[in-house]
Amino acid sequence: MGTADGRHVSGGHNDGGDRVRVLAAGDDAVLVEFPDSDGPVAPAVLPFVAAAAHDRPPGVVDVIPAARTAAVTYRAEKIAAHAVREWCADLAVRATSAAAAGTGTAGAETAGAETAGAETAGAGTAGGPAEPAPEEVVLPVVYDGPDLDAVSAATGLSKDEVIDAHTGTAWTVAFTGFAPGFGYLVGGDPRLAVPRRTTPRTRVPAGSVGLAGPFSGVYPRPSPGGWQLIGTTAAELWQPRRDAPALLAPGVRVRFERQGPAA
């Protein structure tokens, strides 16, 4: 299984012959590349991250997931590159097996107590050491977004049906990025898959709840953005003074809760 710079790992969950690859990424990182899939996120990414959080050798600094990859950084003076690649390869095999089995874990659980509202945070980083992540975060939302009518028209749903679809199922943070505290949420009602706006806004207010393709997300701070805005939450997604500044971390489940009538 593999070469020095690009290890090919039999994953067992992809009948098309694609396999996980563990690639060198500079002097102190590797990139674990998972096989392509039909969904927005490769199924093995989150099991890989969950297992890495509980089974990380000294010298490995962080595990950063994306849609189909996970970057693993390490301190070269504390652990050899080949040891990191071996660890990633072994973990990737377990993650792909877990994904294929539908367990969603690779021998480890992202445990934690339920969190309701914005007051109690506590999500750790993707590769955080022992900080338990919340099992579920509930975000109260006023569905007053300027694009609610457009989303209703695009989906063929009434505004109330859009809201019911958005609040009716739990979403999962697949990965973070774009801005500190911004999580890309997947797993919601597929009827809500709408394209980004043709013309992005130059300023989206903090707390705006949006949709784009298979994702939902919340803007942690004012920024440009092209997602379809359907609501607003007062939850504080990013607070540098908190022990865990980001409310949302990969693997955390998010449930939106309607507050008041739609605008």
Side-chain angles (χ1 to χ4, degrees):
M1 83 182 175
T3 65
D5 293 329
R7 296 180 59 84
H8 297 257
V9 183
S10 297
H13 76 290
N14 191 305
D15 294 332
D18 294 335
R19 290 176 295 176
V20 171
R21 297 196 303 165
V22 182
L23 307 169
D27 295 332
D28 55 5
V30 299
L31 186 70
V32 183
E33 194 176 77
F34 294 92
D36 205 355
S37 65
D38 294 335
V41 177
V45 173
L46 283 178
F48 179 87
V49 173
H54 292 262
D55 181 24
R56 194 167 68 186
V60 171
V61 176
D62 205 356
V63 179
I64 306 163
R68 289 175 173 77
T69 61
V72 178
T73 62
Y74 61 95
R75 297 186 187 281
E77 71 274 17
K78 292 189 175 181
I79 186 169
H82 71 84
V84 177
R85 291 197 297 269
E86 292 286 348
W87 176 68
C88 289
D90 176 66
L91 213 59
V93 169
R94 286 193 277 151
T96 51
S97 297
T103 63
T105 64
E109 299 284 352
T110 49
E114 179 170 335
T115 302
E119 294 79 9
T120 51
T125 61
E131 192 72 20
E135 184 177 79
E136 181 173 289
V137 171
V138 178
L139 297 180
V141 176
V142 176
Y143 284 90
D144 57 356
D147 298 320
L148 187 56
D149 285 332
V151 171
S152 174
T155 59
L157 302 173
S158 68
K159 290 196 291 185
D160 281 334
E161 288 172 333
V162 169
I163 296 167
D164 288 344
H166 195 243
T167 58
T169 58
W171 300 71
T172 300
V173 183
F175 54 94
T176 58
F178 172 63
F182 189 95
Y184 288 79
L185 312 182
V186 296
D189 193 313
R191 295 177 298 171
L192 297 180
V194 292
R196 293 164 53 93
R197 287 171 50 85
T198 53
T199 303
R201 293 183 170 87
T202 56
R203 187 180 187 281
V204 174
S208 295
V209 179
L211 296 168
F215 299 105
S216 187
V218 181
Y219 287 81
R221 61 184 183 185
S223 67
W227 289 33
Q228 306 275 3
L229 306 182
I230 61 172
T232 307
T233 181
E236 202 168 34
L237 276 294
W238 177 257
Q239 175 46 264
R241 293 187 297 276
R242 272 195 313 238
D243 287 342
L247 181 63
L248 306 182
V252 171
R253 293 200 313 161
V254 176
R255 187 175 294 278
F256 294 100
E257 186 175 83
R258 180 175 182 168
Q259 298 289 296

